[in-house]
Amino acid sequence: MELRETMATAIWTLRTHRMRSGLTMLGIVIGAGALVAVMSLISGLNRSIAAQFQSIGTDIISVSIYPWVQMGDNEDFRSRKPITMADARAVGELPSIGLMAPNVHTRRAVSREGRDMRSILVSGTTPEYETIDNFTVEAGRFVTDPDVARRRPVAVIGADVADELFASVDPIGRQIRVGGKRFSVIGVLERKGKILGESLDGLVIIPITTLEKTFGRRRSVVIDCSPAEGVPIERAVEDIRQLLRARRHVPRDKPDDFAVNTQRDLMRSYQQITGVLFLAMVGIVSLALLVGGIGIMNVMLVSVAERTREIGVRMAIGARRRDIAFQFLIESIILTVLGGLVGIAGGAAIALLVKAVTPLPAAVTGGCVAIAVAFSVVTGILFGLTPARRAGRLNPIEALRYE
């Protein structure tokens, strides 16, 4: 029997028992739907996070006593020896480093004419910070070398600070108070959005010398830098590690007492976390498909018993055992593929609905659909083999006598 004829016969048989076929597919529908919904949400989240990480700069290297992803006790990092301005200058002199911007941070209240913002991030830095950390000045200008050299009380404010303190007024040239001290606003940054739910626009940037003069020097310096042109970021990172280990007298058998953070490391850590979640979800979905597959095998075994006489008649008029087995296997695969397609449509609809009514992103990709279809086909083959073999091994004489 040709494949086309076999499929037509299988579809006719399934249409004859629509209710039973529909109920049999339910497990596959749920499993495939859950798989597509979860994969679409994780895929959308990955794309969104990748875009957010891009906003902090693709080739940025940030050296600090704290790693961006902290897996251990925070007290261990806090007790590390501070990174100094001398360390920053030494890193900036490495041949593999292009731009370097030392920066120190504090959190202070920022206010203007009765409007207050509490615990705003105040960063003291140099002009290179604008390029390395991918900031764009929307109005006014950024911090300059003369601002740093003369410790000027000037400030560049983020979009959130501008919206809150200067709702309908041009901020350039106006005064704000940072930690109770007067600063002149010289620039407003273009909005950068959020990363991992935290706004990147609620900050004030001032010259690093001004911050140290106004709020004290007892802070560990963060060194933001970028590789020199044509230098791989891995080589620049290794050069920084070797330099700082030597400057900080770290023994050879001891780990680094500082962290060299890169955007790639941050993305890799995030993908490891979502990868574990993805595998857990695939495990749960596989259980649903297993339950659905067992249901299909049971129904196909019942179908073989109900159609024993039909099988005997077909064998009597020339059908081979493998034709009989192949027909039942095709019926099983059609059941699981149909269930898979319905589940894919449902899962995609759920993912897009979640995207529409919540802040969570979603992306239904061809990969998600292909994996769901593959799961459905494999389930149909695995759980259709036993009923197909039983049908193909029936004795034609006994099958014809079956009542």
Side-chain angles (χ1 to χ4, degrees), residues 40-239:
S40 299
L41 290 171
I42 290 178
S43 179
L45 202 57
N46 283 342
R47 291 186 181 184
S48 174
I49 294 297
Q52 292 177 32
F53 286 169
Q54 291 286 334
S55 67
I56 63 174
T58 53
D59 287 333
I60 183 174
I61 303 169
S62 184
V63 185
S64 169
I65 58 172
Y66 298 101
W68 282 351
V69 180
Q70 297 182 15
M71 306 297 287
D73 186 356
N74 190 51
E75 191 59 36
D76 293 340
F77 304 124
R78 195 175 301 170
S79 62
R80 288 176 168 178
K81 186 168 63 175
I83 294 174
T84 64
M85 282 297 295
D87 293 331
R89 284 191 288 271
V91 168
E93 291 172 358
L94 284 171
S96 57
I97 297 301
L99 294 175
M100 188 280 294
N103 50 98
V104 291
H105 307 274
T106 183
R107 286 195 173 271
R108 303 285 167 169
V110 179
S111 62
R112 172 183 174 267
E113 296 181 356
R115 298 184 179 185
D116 294 329
M117 298 182 74
R118 301 288 180 187
S119 192
I120 294 297
L121 176 66
V122 180
S123 301
T125 187
T126 58
E128 293 80 8
Y129 194 62
E130 178 185 9
T131 303
I132 297 171
D133 285 62
N134 205 25
F135 285 107
T136 301
V137 177
E138 186 176 75
R141 65 174 177 83
F142 201 72
V143 170
T144 62
D145 286 328
D147 294 331
V148 176
R150 297 172 186 173
R151 303 178 183 180
R152 287 174 176 163
V154 293
V156 180
I157 58 177
D160 287 352
V161 178
D163 291 345
E164 181 65 26
L165 300 186
F166 300 94
S168 57
V169 181
D170 182 5
I172 305 302
R174 298 184 184 274
Q175 298 285 310
I176 60 173
R177 285 188 177 274
V178 179
K181 306 293 183 181
R182 285 184 178 275
F183 282 79
S184 294
V185 177
I186 57 171
V188 179
L189 297 173
E190 188 177 272
R191 188 174 296 279
K192 297 186 73 170
K194 297 181 178 180
I195 184 167
L196 300 176
E198 185 171 349
S199 175
L200 299 174
D201 302 304
L203 80 166
V204 173
I205 297 174
I206 63 178
I208 187 169
T209 49
T210 308
L211 188 145
E212 290 179 338
K213 172 188 173 186
T214 308
F215 302 115
R217 294 175 174 270
R218 300 181 61 182
R219 292 178 179 80
S220 181
V221 175
V222 178
I223 308 170
D224 286 359
C225 53
S226 59
E229 187 174 354
V231 175
I233 192 169
E234 293 79 7
R235 180 186 153 193
V237 167
E238 188 57 29
D239 286 351

Side-chain angles (χ1 to χ4, degrees), residues 32-42 343 346-348 350-351 362:
L35 181 65
V36 170
V38 170
M39 288 184 66
S40 299
L41 290 171
I42 290 178
I350 291 172

Side-chain angles (χ1 to χ4, degrees), residues 6-7 9-11 13-14 21 24-25 28 289 292-301 303-304 307 324-340 373 375-389:
T6 302
M7 292 185 67
T9 304
I11 292 172
T13 305
L14 295 176
S21 300
T24 305
M25 290 190 298
I28 303 299
L289 290 173
I294 292 172
I296 284 180
M297 185 171 66
N298 285 335
V299 170
M300 294 303 297
L301 287 172
S303 179
V304 171
R307 294 157 63 189
I324 301 296
F326 190 55
Q327 181 185 342
F328 278 87
L329 186 60
I330 288 295
E331 287 182 20
S332 174
I333 294 173
I334 289 175
L335 268 175
T336 55
V337 170
L338 285 176
V373 171
F375 262 94
S376 303
V377 172
V378 170
T379 303
I381 294 173
L382 290 178
F383 292 94
L385 279 176
T386 299
R389 285 178 179 169

